[in-house]
Amino acid sequence: MRGFELQTYHTMAPNNNMSQEEEARQKAIDDWLPITSSRNAKWWYSAFHNVTAMVGAGVLSLPYAMSHLGWGPGIAVLIISWVVTLYTLWQMVEMHEMVPGKRFDRYHELGQGAFGDKLGLWIVVPQQVIVEVSTNIIYMVTGGKSFKKAHEVICPSCKEIKTSYWIMIFAAIHFVLSHLPNFNSISVVSLAAAVMSLSYSTIAWVVPLEKGVKPDVDYSYNAKSTTDAMFNFFTALGDVAFAYAGHNVVLEIQATIPSTPEKPSKGPMWKGVVVAYIVVAICYFPVALVGYYIFGNTVEDNILLTLEKPIWIVAAANLFVVVHVIGSYQIFAMPVFDMIETFLVKQLKFTPSFMLRLVTRSLYVAFTMIVAISVPFFGSLMGFFGGFALAPTSYYLPCIMWLCIYKPRRFSLSWFANWFCIVLGVLLMILAPIGGLRSIIMSAKNYEFFS
């Protein structure tokens, strides 16, 4: 660890030959970029930012995942995922300031610290971009579908409006909100989203529980063959992985918290993470278990679509989802904005300006909107991206970094814990995309673009 510190100081120490003008320019750029422009967040900012990032579209698919996993495997996967991702999140909070005087404000900076400047970028950046962009696309789909469901429930006699148009309406909100400069500026949006997540999660299990178990409820696998059941099982693993997807923005959130040698940022950050994970448990476990208990294998990939009455509660729940995914979209988009803007102003030497931000962020929102309109396979997308992209960054990449940096003694508790997470994460990464990709292919047979 001492050798790592010396090497890191050597590679990251300020260049004494750097002119004062260049130093001033770099500071001005850092003060403009989204992640490093504001460092006055409180611990509760961490709590609701993490709730907003973690509890999203994924919670609504958990009963559907349970229907493909079954009672025993389903409960086991939910609990293990909660424990493992809390552990890896703790590792990231600890590694944020593992070198005194240096903060790893971005996931890829931590990767560079662990694997080297070039290799760290190539390992982390592609995965992080895939996670954040794919999550934003999925939230576009979720927001549009939830808008549509609320409209249909409130006005069943009205003319049906295509999902594509609802996605455009959802995107229009982001064409405005995306120009808020940094995490602290979206704190009100994020707080509203966190409250909404708790609200619609509660509705998603209280309303079915009030109705009672369906008379013909069936808990067996509803696949036509053993092969179908196996692929559905793999997809469900991806759905669960997608539900625990907050790691990709945790360092960026921690970067907004002030830090001193006496009071490092990991204290308030960890307090916020613990509160967030308690909220995650309150949201996830009742929705998953009660939803599956009431509806069995007939539950849809979004449990709110399974609810029909009372009308006002179903409509409210879907609107709560819309508010929440508005906040979640912004949380996951902010690191992408930071990457784009860093590249433009540091590599291509663009001048930081409002116009630069207006053009780049608007183009990004437009891109995610167009892809969402083209490929709205909600459940299958979560299964595919949950395994392919989210499993590495949430389940085992922090453990590999921890082993590289701290080098725990072989066969110690830390060594075993990290290798358990790595093996579990690799299995998720291999198995979940297989089921998700098959579901996408099966869905595509009956699908028309821009429906």
Side-chain angles (χ1 to χ4, degrees), residues 26-352:
Q26 291 297 328
K27 185 180 185 305
I29 289 172
D30 287 338
D31 290 343
W32 181 77
L33 291 172
I35 303 303
T36 51
S37 63
S38 178
R39 294 192 189 271
N40 58 1
K42 308 297 183 184
W43 73 264
W44 53 86
Y45 284 42
S46 158
F48 57 71
H49 281 327
N50 276 290
V51 169
T52 301
M54 188 78 70
V55 184
V59 65
L60 300 175
S61 72
L62 290 178
Y64 182 70
M66 285 289 296
S67 71
H68 292 316
L69 294 170
W71 280 116
I75 294 172
V77 168
L78 282 175
I79 294 173
I80 291 171
S81 293
W82 190 88
V83 173
V84 166
T85 55
L86 179 59
Y87 172 66
T88 54
L89 198 51
W90 169 79
Q91 288 180 313
M92 295 190 70
V93 171
E94 288 289 319
M95 289 189 286
H96 177 74
E97 292 176 291
M98 60 190 169
V99 178
K102 168 67 186 174
R103 299 185 71 173
F104 295 100
D105 292 325
R106 300 165 177 88
Y107 206 146
H108 68 81
E109 290 178 6
L110 181 59
Q112 288 176 293
F115 306 122
D117 286 349
K118 288 188 177 179
L119 184 60
L121 280 177
W122 281 105
I123 289 175
V124 176
V125 171
Q127 294 187 76
Q128 191 179 15
V129 169
I130 290 170
V131 167
E132 287 161 356
V133 175
S134 63
T135 302
N136 280 153
I137 292 167
I138 290 170
Y139 284 160
M140 276 280 181
V141 176
T142 309
K145 285 192 170 183
S146 297
F147 258 140
K148 182 179 181 180
K149 177 67 176 177
H151 175 257
E152 290 173 349
V153 169
I154 294 169
C155 185
S157 61
C158 294
K159 183 181 178 181
E160 182 180 352
I161 300 174
K162 290 180 11 176
T163 305
S164 300
Y165 297 143
W166 288 114
I167 293 175
M168 290 179 188
I169 293 169
F170 183 78
I173 298 168
H174 293 291
F175 280 115
V176 177
L177 290 181
S178 290
H179 303 300
L180 294 171
N182 53 44
F183 269 119
N184 285 351
S185 65
I186 62 170
S187 57
V188 174
V189 177
S190 182
L191 175 60
V195 172
M196 291 299 104
S197 68
L198 196 56
S199 301
Y200 72 70
S201 297
T202 303
I203 289 172
W205 67 268
V206 169
V207 172
L209 195 63
E210 181 69 22
K211 292 182 178 181
V213 180
K214 289 181 64 178
D216 55 344
V217 67
D218 183 5
Y219 301 116
S220 63
Y221 297 127
N222 61 357
K224 296 177 182 177
S225 65
T226 305
T227 304
D228 284 344
M230 179 183 69
F231 280 118
N232 290 340
F233 190 93
F234 293 163
T235 305
L237 291 176
D239 289 344
V240 175
F242 185 89
Y244 292 94
H247 294 57
N248 293 277
V249 294
V250 68
L251 291 178
E252 287 81 354
I253 292 170
Q254 191 169 350
T256 65
I257 296 176
S259 182
T260 63
E262 297 77 26
K263 292 185 177 181
S265 63
K266 67 181 181 181
M269 180 66 185
W270 179 241
K271 187 189 293 185
V273 166
V274 169
V275 171
Y277 255 72
I278 291 171
V279 174
V280 166
I282 292 170
C283 291
Y284 282 19
F285 290 99
V287 172
L289 301 180
V290 173
Y292 181 47
Y293 173 68
I294 299 298
F295 296 109
N297 60 20
T298 61
V299 69
E300 294 194 46
D301 62 357
N302 178 340
I303 188 172
L304 294 183
L305 301 180
T306 312
L307 305 179
E308 297 298 335
K309 293 179 180 179
I311 289 175
W312 68 272
I313 286 184
V314 177
N318 279 279
L319 291 176
F320 291 164
V321 172
V322 171
V323 174
H324 180 241
V325 292
I326 286 171
S328 296
Y329 183 99
Q330 291 300 314
I331 291 289
F332 277 90
M334 199 61 74
V336 181
F337 297 154
D338 182 79
M339 287 183 199
I340 296 170
E341 290 163 11
T342 298
F343 177 75
L344 290 175
V345 299
K346 289 193 173 182
Q347 300 297 321
L348 301 183
K349 306 298 183 184
F350 277 80
T351 303

Side-chain angles (χ1 to χ4, degrees), residues 394-412:
S394 295
Y395 284 78
Y396 70 84
L397 193 55
C399 297
I400 294 175
M401 292 178 181
W402 188 273
L403 291 174
C404 289
I405 292 165
Y406 291 101
K407 295 179 172 58
R409 184 170 50 84
R410 184 172 292 187
F411 304 123
S412 64

Side-chain angles (χ1 to χ4, degrees), residues 127 237-238 241 383-393 395-396 422-434:
Q127 294 187 76
L237 291 176
F384 179 75
F385 286 117
F388 178 68
L390 294 165
T393 52
Y395 284 78
Y396 70 84
I422 291 168
V423 171
L424 180 71
V426 170
L427 286 174
L428 265 177
M429 185 187 70
I430 294 171
L431 298 178
I434 296 172

